[in-house]
Amino acid sequence: MYWFDDDQGIDLPASCQVQYWNGSAYVAVPGASGCGVAANTFNATTFTPVSTTRLRLNITSRSGYSTGVLEWRAFS
């Protein structure tokens, strides 16, 4: 993920979690490591491979701010 921060109400998130669709619900990817929230860089997350048709990024914003994603890449 590459986060967007404009210093005008859109800020870096407090945390994030990559989730996948298991056929009936979104659940956390297994073995996740590194869902970072650093500015001005891509934040890589690695996890145990899953078979799915959907990925989701669950973002927790900082209190009083919105959070923006500039780019999100998924590689297999």
Side-chain angles (χ1 to χ4, degrees):
M1 286 68 63
Y2 201 110
W3 303 107
F4 178 75
D5 178 4
D6 69 356
D7 294 322
Q8 297 180 14
I10 299 176
D11 198 8
L12 302 173
S15 65
C16 65
Q17 179 186 57
V18 178
Q19 299 177 330
Y20 77 102
W21 184 253
N22 69 4
S24 59
Y26 281 100
V27 295
V29 293
S33 175
C35 197
V37 295
N40 303 315
T41 189
F42 275 99
N43 292 268
T45 303
T46 59
F47 52 89
T48 304
V50 296
S51 180
T52 188
T53 57
R54 306 174 199 172
L55 287 175
R56 178 168 81 173
L57 185 59
N58 188 1
I59 303 168
T60 301
S61 297
R62 296 182 191 277
S63 181
Y65 292 94
S66 297
T67 300
V69 176
L70 187 60
E71 188 170 345
W72 182 25
R73 299 176 184 173
F75 300 97
S76 60

